[in-house]
Each structure stands twice: as structure tokens, then as C-alpha cells.
């Protein structure tokens, strides 16, 4: 009797499962698969409610999730893309080979600003048994005021160039240099705007890299920058630099000087220009406010060691000690350590290159201002150069004659068509190059001989 009962139970279980394996169950399975697919992006939908269209059929089933951004044009552009995919899929399913296939489409939406969004649409095609046939991604960026796409306006050559350099560093650090990017890399075209930066998907969308806006702020078009409310880089107002126009970097060493640094800054400010100051750490205490003012103006402050040390005469331990002492003093006064270091006397050897963790900067035009102490002589040396494009001019912020020369040179350089930039900007824009550790940027580099 016991066995009979057991058999009866077993029989009813079998009957129940037979009835579930019919059409109703497959439909439910599809609905569950769709729900599961829609969870991947469910946390990343910055805007409004989405709208889904789920259709089950023995010929082919699809589950689509549509963006509802609040702007009809935007929603229409995304919907057209999704519906085109759906129509092609439905047609495909008419063949025996594709019968019963499944299509899933969902989207993620990032909000970069009130009127700017980035959207990723992900599509997956599967067999009726759920085996993956194909995954496809499509990205969009929209201006919600007009509803229009903004990808071309976003991905200028300038920005793609800078993004590719950022991604190469990422690839070197995180992926063992596995992927190399250039401005034509297809990955850049899938860039989308988000709250904190530009998101690029690499490795067929396996890795998501967020490029912070601060790292590409100067390369983003002025209009988009305004929409994104980006006005400064590292606390300094963004100046527009035209990489196609000539540029030159003025540099002032051995300060700061309580007497002269502010005078030089006054001149630069009058002409909306910047320079780079290589300062001796023991001097920082004489003009800390001038240094902070310089940084706010967008000038660059580099290190010139603590005691104007000849680094080439030190061993690695001695260099390390000098630099860590110097950086501590810069951090105390400016809140951060300098990224650039100009070795005093331009004295640089392999030990210096291998030991310093700062970019080593020399010069290409020596005004000998410390020797002549004569404004006219300084000016003549600069003017006697055939072209100053890409040059780094060496002066010292310690002499009245240098201030007088600067007062004449800045407007003259501008009238000659030069943009006055910092050393880092010159290397980045003028030479279209990333600063590299272990390299001495000196005469040969800045005169293009290298
Ligand atoms: Ni010096």
C-alpha cells in the first residue's frame, strides 16, 4: 500500500511537469529571461521610466526596453534604432534555421548634466534554448534641449587624441599594454558622457574606463564645457590653446622673490598669459601668496630643488633625499608637490633621470639675464631667434632688469602671434606629446632635434 501511494505521487509529478512544458511555460520562461536581462542595467537608468515591449511567439520572441528621457526626439532616435533591430530579427525568424530565436534589448542611461545624457543600448540574440548567438552595443549622447545627438561635436580630433593617450596609460597600467589606442581607435567612437567623466568601453565592452573630465577638460569643446559646468583645471581657469598656432613658454627660475614675482605676475595677468616658475624650496616662505596667486592664474610651479643643488654630483640616495625634502616644503606651502623639476645648472645625468619621479625640464633659449642684468640685452637675445615656436625661454625672477624685459617681451610675443603657455602645455600641445619620466626635456627636445 505504501508503494502504491508513492507511485501515485510520482505519477502526478510527472503529469504536472508535462503540462508545464507546453506553450504556457515557454512563454513564462521567456518572460523570466527578459526580466533577468533587464536587471543588468536596472541600476543605471538615470532618467524617467522605461517602457518595455515583450512579445512571445513560437516563431521568435523579443523583449525590448525603450528609453523615456522626457524628450521626444531623443526617444525617437533610440526607438528607431531598436525597432530596426526588431524588424530585422522578426524577418530572420521566418527561416527554419532561426525559428524560435530570442532577442533582448535594454539600455543604460547616464546623466552628465541637466541637458546632457549618455546612452548605451545592449542587444542579445539567443537560440530558443537560450544559447547566445550575438551581442551588440550601440552608444548615443544627447542634448535634451534639442533632443539631438552630439557625438560628432563631442569627439573632436583634439579630444580623441587626448583620450587615446589616457587609454594607453590605462592599458599599460591595468592590462599589461595589451591594447594600443590612437585617435582613430573604434573604442573612442563609443564614448559616452556621464556624471563624472567620459566613459569608454574597451575589450568589446568588457572593460569600462571612466576618463575624468578634469583630465580632458581643455580638449572638450567650449560649448560642451559650459553645459558640463567645467570652468577650471586643477583650480586654474581654462584658457583655450590652439595647437595649430605658434606657442612659447616663458620660465623664471630661482624664486620666488618677495620683490619681483608679483610684478611678473602683474604683467602676465595684464596680457591674460601664463609662465612657469621653477622655485627653490628654501625661498617659498618669502612669497607664498605670490605662488598661490600664480597657480590660480594658471601658471605652473616647478621644483628647482631645496638649495639649488647640483643633482649630477649626488648619488641616487642623495638625489632622493634632496627631492623628498623639496617636495615636503612645496606640499606645506602649496598643498601639493610639483610635477616638474628643473635641475639647477641644467645638470642632468643618467642617475638623475633614473632617480627623479618628476618630469625633468631644461630650456632652449638662455637670456643670460643673471649675467647682463640688462633689459635690452635680454630682449635682443630673444628677438634674435629666427623662430620661437616651441621654445622655452630661461629667465630668473630675481632682477629688476628681468621684470623690465618681461614687460616688453610679453606684448611683443603676443603681437608676433605666439601663445604664451606653461611648459606642460607646450609639450602637450606644441609637441603633441605626453610628459615622460626618466627623460630630460632640454635644448634638443625643444628645438626639435632629438
Ligand atoms: Ni637656477
Amino acid at each position: 500500500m505504501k508503494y502504491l501511494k508513492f507511485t501515485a505521487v510520482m505519477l502526478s509529478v510527472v503529469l504536472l511537469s508535462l503540462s508545464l512544458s507546453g506553450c504556457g511555460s515557454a512563454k513564462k520562461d521567456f518572460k523570466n529571461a527578459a526580466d533577468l536581462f533587464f536587471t543588468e542595467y536596472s541600476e543605471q537608468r538615470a532618467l524617467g521610466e522605461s517602457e518595455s515591449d515583450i512579445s512571445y511567439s513560437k516563431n521568435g520572441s523579443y523583449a525590448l526596453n525603450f528609453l523615456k528621457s522626457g524628450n521626444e526626439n531623443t526617444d525617437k532616435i533610440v526607438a528607431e534604432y531598436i525597432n530596426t533591430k526588431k524588424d530585422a530579427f522578426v524577418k530572420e525568424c521566418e527561416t527554419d534555421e532561426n525559428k524560435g530565436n530570442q532577442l533582448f534589448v535594454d539600455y543604460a542611461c547616464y546623466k552628465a548634466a541637466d541637458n546632457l545624457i549618455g546612452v548605451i543600448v545592449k542587444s542579445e540574440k539567443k537560440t530558443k534554448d537560450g544559447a547566445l548567438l550575438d551581442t551588440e552595443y550601440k552608444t548615443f549622447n544627447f542634448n535634451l534641449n534639442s533632443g539631438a545627438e552630439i557625438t560628432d561635436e563631442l569627439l573632436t580630433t583634439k579630444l580623441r587624441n587626448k583620450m587615446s593617450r589616457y587609454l594607453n596609460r590605462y592599458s599599460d597600467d591595468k592590462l599589461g599594454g595589451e591594447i594600443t589606442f590612437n585617435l582613430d581607435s573604434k573604442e573612442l567612437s563609443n564614448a559616452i558622457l556621464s556624471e563624472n567623466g567620459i566613459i569608454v568601453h574597451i575589450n568589446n565592452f568588457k572593460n569600462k574606463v571612466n576618463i575624468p573630465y578634469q583630465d580632458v577638460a581643455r580638449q572638450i569643446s567650449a560649448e560642451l564645457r559650459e553645459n558640463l559646468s567645467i570652468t577650471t583645471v586643477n583650480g586654474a581657469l581654462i584658457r583655450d590653446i590652439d595647437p595649430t598656432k605658434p606657442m612659447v613658454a616663458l620660465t623664471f627660475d630661482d624664486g620666488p622673490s618677495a620683490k619681483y614675482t608679483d610684478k611678473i605676475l602683474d604683467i602676465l595677468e595684464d596680457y591674460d598669459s601664463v609662465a612657469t616658475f621653477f622655485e627653490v624650496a628654501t625661498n617659498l616662505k618669502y612669497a607664498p601668496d605670490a605662488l598661490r596667486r600664480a597657480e590660480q592664474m594658471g601658471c605652473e610651479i616647478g621644483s628647482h630643488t631645496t638649495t639649488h643643488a647640483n643633482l649630477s654630483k649626488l648619488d641616487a640616495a642623495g638625489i632622493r633625499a634632496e627631492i623628498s625634502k623639496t617636495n615636503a616644503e612645496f606640499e606645506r606651502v602649496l598643498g601639493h608637490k610639483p610635477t616638474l623639476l628643473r635641475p639647477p645648472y641644467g645638470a642632468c645625468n643618467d642617475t638623475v633621470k633614473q632617480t627623479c619621479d618628476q618630469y625633468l625640464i631644461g630650456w632652449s633659449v638662455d637670456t643670460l639675464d643673471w649675467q647682463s642684468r640688462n633689459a635690452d640685452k635680454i630682449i635682443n637675445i630673444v628677438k634674435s631667434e629666427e623662430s620661437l615656436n616651441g621654445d622655452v625661454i630661461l629667465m630668473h625672477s630675481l632682477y629688476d632688469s628681468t621684470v623690465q624685459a618681461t614687460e616688453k617681451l610679453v606684448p611683443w610675443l603676443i603681437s608676433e602671434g605666439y601663445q604664451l603657455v606653461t611648459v606642460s602645455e607646450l609639450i602637450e600641445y606644441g609637441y603633441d606629446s605626453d610628459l615622460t619620466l626618466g627623460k630630460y626635456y632640454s635644448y634638443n627636445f625643444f628645438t626639435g632635434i632629438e
Side-chain angles (χ1 to χ4, degrees):
M1 199 51 196
K2 256 184 186 172
Y3 288 110
L4 193 64
K5 236 181 182 173
F6 180 74
T7 314
V9 170
M10 280 305 290
L11 193 66
S12 62
V13 168
V14 171
L15 283 173
L16 189 69
S17 55
L18 275 175
S19 74
L20 271 175
S21 68
C23 173
S25 164
K27 188 173 179 180
K28 208 172 152 206
D29 286 349
F30 181 71
K31 176 76 175 63
N32 288 342
D35 285 345
L36 188 68
F37 184 79
F38 290 159
T39 55
E40 184 189 343
Y41 284 155
S42 62
E43 298 295 313
Q44 191 48 67
R45 283 196 265 272
L47 284 177
E49 293 295 312
S50 36
E51 196 178 275
S52 28
D53 175 7
I54 300 178
S55 160
Y56 175 81
S57 138
K58 278 185 176 164
N59 287 334
S61 308
Y62 54 81
L64 319 170
N65 212 6
F66 291 89
L67 168 72
K68 293 287 146 204
S69 68
N71 183 298
E72 275 180 33
N73 283 337
T74 292
D75 296 351
K76 209 173 126 194
I77 292 169
V78 177
E80 267 169 15
Y81 167 77
I82 295 176
N83 283 326
T84 304
K85 283 202 93 59
K86 179 191 79 178
D87 294 345
F89 170 78
V90 169
K91 211 168 164 54
E92 260 171 44
C93 290
E94 287 168 8
T95 64
D96 282 349
E97 176 194 4
N98 294 316
K99 199 172 171 185
N101 279 357
Q102 308 175 344
L103 174 71
F104 302 92
V105 182
D106 195 11
Y107 73 92
C109 172
Y110 295 81
K111 193 169 179 179
D114 278 346
N115 61 340
L116 294 177
I117 59 166
V119 177
I120 308 170
V121 178
K122 179 183 181 182
S123 317
E124 262 183 18
K125 211 188 291 175
K126 293 182 171 176
T127 64
K128 65 171 181 289
D129 304 319
L132 186 63
L133 291 169
D134 185 30
T135 307
E136 224 177 86
Y137 295 89
K138 165 89 178 153
T139 58
F140 303 87
N141 294 287
F142 292 104
N143 183 328
L144 290 182
N145 292 343
S146 62
E149 271 197 81
I150 52 167
T151 301
D152 288 344
E153 176 194 336
L154 167 71
L155 293 171
T156 58
T157 307
K158 201 161 103 170
L159 182 64
R160 279 183 286 129
N161 217 350
K162 178 79 182 189
M163 284 165 64
S164 67
R165 283 195 223 136
Y166 186 98
L167 292 170
N168 281 330
R169 278 201 303 275
Y170 177 92
S171 173
D172 285 347
D173 293 350
K174 303 272 165 68
L175 308 171
E178 190 186 308
I179 317 173
T180 315
F181 299 90
N182 60 50
L183 67 99
D184 295 320
S185 295
K186 65 178 186 332
E187 287 86 351
L188 300 183
S189 58
N190 72 42
I192 54 162
L193 297 166
S194 78
E195 195 184 348
N196 301 313
I198 298 177
I199 294 175
V200 178
H201 290 84
I202 61 175
N203 252 342
N204 290 324
F205 278 75
K206 278 192 208 85
N207 300 68
K208 188 167 96 170
V209 185
N210 180 60
I211 305 177
Y213 286 126
Q214 278 290 297
D215 286 68
V216 289
R218 287 188 205 280
Q219 288 75 27
I220 293 175
S221 74
E223 195 191 332
L224 273 180
R225 226 162 42 209
E226 200 185 320
N227 283 327
L228 291 163
S229 307
I230 304 167
T231 53
T232 58
V233 170
N234 301 323
L237 282 175
I238 295 173
R239 287 165 299 110
D240 275 315
I241 299 168
D242 184 343
T244 64
K245 290 197 177 139
M247 57 186 88
V248 63
L250 294 179
T251 64
F252 298 90
D253 287 12
D254 295 358
S257 148
K259 207 167 165 189
Y260 299 117
T261 301
D262 266 317
K263 288 186 180 171
I264 294 167
L265 292 175
D266 288 345
I267 298 164
L268 293 169
E269 205 169 51
D270 281 349
Y271 293 96
D272 194 21
S273 290
V274 293
T276 305
F277 295 83
F278 290 99
E279 310 290 38
V280 173
T282 51
N283 289 346
L284 299 188
K285 57 180 178 289
Y286 299 128
D289 291 338
L291 288 183
R292 287 188 277 266
R293 175 187 172 202
E295 285 204 319
Q296 276 162 9
M297 284 170 57
C299 291
E300 194 164 20
I301 310 289
S303 162
H304 201 42
T305 76
T306 295
T307 54
H308 208 269
N310 186 333
L311 296 177
S312 70
K313 292 194 170 161
L314 301 175
D315 62 10
I319 294 169
R320 261 184 231 112
E322 175 72 26
I323 287 173
S324 90
K325 190 167 59 175
T326 307
N327 288 345
E329 183 61 9
F330 273 91
E331 272 181 60
R332 197 181 64 77
V333 175
L334 284 178
H336 62 90
K337 67 173 201 182
T339 54
L340 306 184
L341 167 68
R342 173 171 280 168
Y345 316 102
C348 188
N349 59 17
D350 285 345
T351 315
V352 175
K353 287 188 214 169
Q354 283 152 20
T355 312
C356 289
D357 62 350
Q358 283 155 308
Y359 305 115
L360 298 165
I361 308 295
W363 59 85
S364 57
V365 177
D366 189 349
T367 63
L368 299 171
D369 61 335
W370 59 276
Q371 207 175 50
S372 72
R373 314 268 177 110
N374 180 307
D376 288 337
K377 285 190 175 164
I378 297 168
I379 293 165
N380 284 340
I381 286 176
V382 175
K383 288 191 176 177
S384 68
E385 292 287 323
E386 205 176 304
S387 161
L388 290 157
N389 187 21
D391 270 312
V392 175
I393 299 174
L394 170 64
M395 292 189 274
H396 297 79
S397 43
L398 301 180
Y399 314 106
D400 202 38
S401 46
T402 299
V403 176
Q404 287 165 24
T406 304
E407 203 157 17
K408 298 248 171 66
L409 282 174
V410 170
W412 178 77
L413 286 165
I414 291 169
S415 72
E416 291 289 301
Y418 294 106
Q419 305 169 91
L420 271 65
V421 295
T422 66
V423 170
S424 294
E425 290 165 351
L426 180 71
I427 292 169
E428 183 175 345
Y429 296 96
Y431 292 90
D432 196 17
S433 165
D434 259 344
L435 281 158
T436 309
L437 290 173
K439 168 174 178 151
Y440 183 36
Y441 293 85
S442 65
Y443 185 82
N444 286 353
F445 180 85
F446 293 119
T447 47
I449 294 169
E450 190 142 52

